[in-house]
Amino acid sequence: MLSAGTARARFPGGGRTGTRHVQATDQTMDASKIPLTPSAIAWPLAAATALLVAANLGLQAYRLIAHQEHVVGLAMLSMDGENNLPALFSTLLLCGAALILTLIAVLERRHQGADVSKWALLAAGFALMSLDEALSFHERAIAPLRALLGGQHLGIFFFAWVIPGIALVCVLGAYFLRFLLRLPRRTAIAFVISAAIYLGGALGVELVEGWWREAHGHRNLVYHALVSLEEGMEMAGVIAFIHALLSYISQRYGEVRFVFAGARHHAAASGPASRSR
């Protein structure tokens, strides 16, 4: 924010008029601020996740207990489906994380940070994850991979995409290890916790879920409880990561200001220099 001394230097001879203009400008800028705290963003997202999990479990339980094939609202709220509300919510979470990572990459570049490429790569990775969540690319790999493994008695590898998924996680973990160690300790711990929650659902629960589905099928409450746990952990992991990213921005930069195109020109045109004509 411009100080009064700086403003007077820009408008010599403005006297009290220049000072009053700066004070008014400061008040306007304060009124335009939108203070954000990580918790104020994370908690509503967490509440939405809990509601989606509860709705899915409730509707699936009703369908199975009442022996109803078609339950109103289930297709839109099922966590075992695609192109519905939970899928959209997960896509938006991943997209939000990608946007915040992009913002951090831009800020790090302007401050000549040492890990700009790592932040940018993370942003690209989350953008791809968002696209995958929307279009289900990894789901399409299950059948070909399952055929390569023999197609039967796969156990925990019933959802065969987890095999390349685990390999990819190991490679990326080794690649980002030094980057993680250079982060502030609190941020690094938060990143590890959020990754553990997300991967625990996306890979860990998915392994158990695959084993159960191959042995017992999908028309049972245990299977849908596992699906709810998996999807809920994925959403919670991304929300925890978003919270960690926002906390990092808060601790490292304190305040991030967006200046829209033409804003400075408008401020200059409405200043005391223009009013004195």
Side-chain angles (χ1 to χ4, degrees), residues 5-76:
T6 304
R8 281 196 294 268
R10 288 188 176 185
F11 303 105
R16 294 182 179 178
T17 302
T19 302
R20 286 196 299 269
H21 169 67
V22 170
Q23 292 174 347
T25 302
D26 289 348
Q27 292 174 357
T28 301
M29 293 178 69
D30 287 338
S32 300
K33 286 183 179 179
I34 303 177
L36 298 174
T37 61
S39 296
I41 294 175
W43 278 113
L45 295 176
T49 298
L51 288 174
L52 288 173
V53 170
N56 173 69
L57 272 176
L59 290 173
Q60 294 289 3
Y62 173 77
R63 179 177 72 90
L64 294 170
I65 294 172
H67 303 287
Q68 296 286 334
E69 284 299 323
H70 302 287
V71 177
V72 176
L74 181 57
M76 183 61 64

Side-chain angles (χ1 to χ4, degrees), residues 3 19 76 120 125 142 145 178 197 228:
S3 67
T19 302
M76 183 61 64
I142 292 177
L145 290 172
R178 291 186 179 179
I197 296 172
S228 298

Side-chain angles (χ1 to χ4, degrees), residues 161-180:
W161 76 269
V162 297
I163 298 175
I166 292 172
L168 180 62
V169 168
C170 292
V171 171
L172 292 176
Y175 178 77
F176 282 102
L177 181 58
R178 291 186 179 179
F179 163 74
L180 187 67

Side-chain angles (χ1 to χ4, degrees), residues 116-194:
V116 176
S117 61
K118 301 294 191 303
W119 290 110
L121 186 59
L122 282 173
F126 271 82
L128 287 175
M129 290 168 64
S130 174
L131 189 63
D132 174 69
E133 186 67 34
L135 302 178
S136 305
F137 290 137
H138 72 281
E139 298 284 347
R140 300 178 188 181
I142 292 177
L145 290 172
R146 191 181 290 163
L148 288 175
L149 296 173
Q152 294 181 343
H153 308 295
L154 299 179
I156 61 174
F157 298 121
F158 180 76
F159 297 123
W161 76 269
V162 297
I163 298 175
I166 292 172
L168 180 62
V169 168
C170 292
V171 171
L172 292 176
Y175 178 77
F176 282 102
L177 181 58
R178 291 186 179 179
F179 163 74
L180 187 67
L181 295 176
R182 286 194 293 269
L183 290 173
R185 183 178 179 83
R186 180 177 297 181
T187 301
I189 292 174
F191 278 19
V192 170
I193 292 174
S194 60

Side-chain angles (χ1 to χ4, degrees), residues 5 86 106 110 112 160 168 180 183 234 236:
V106 172
R110 292 194 173 190
Q112 298 180 345
L168 180 62
L180 187 67
L183 290 173
E234 288 181 17

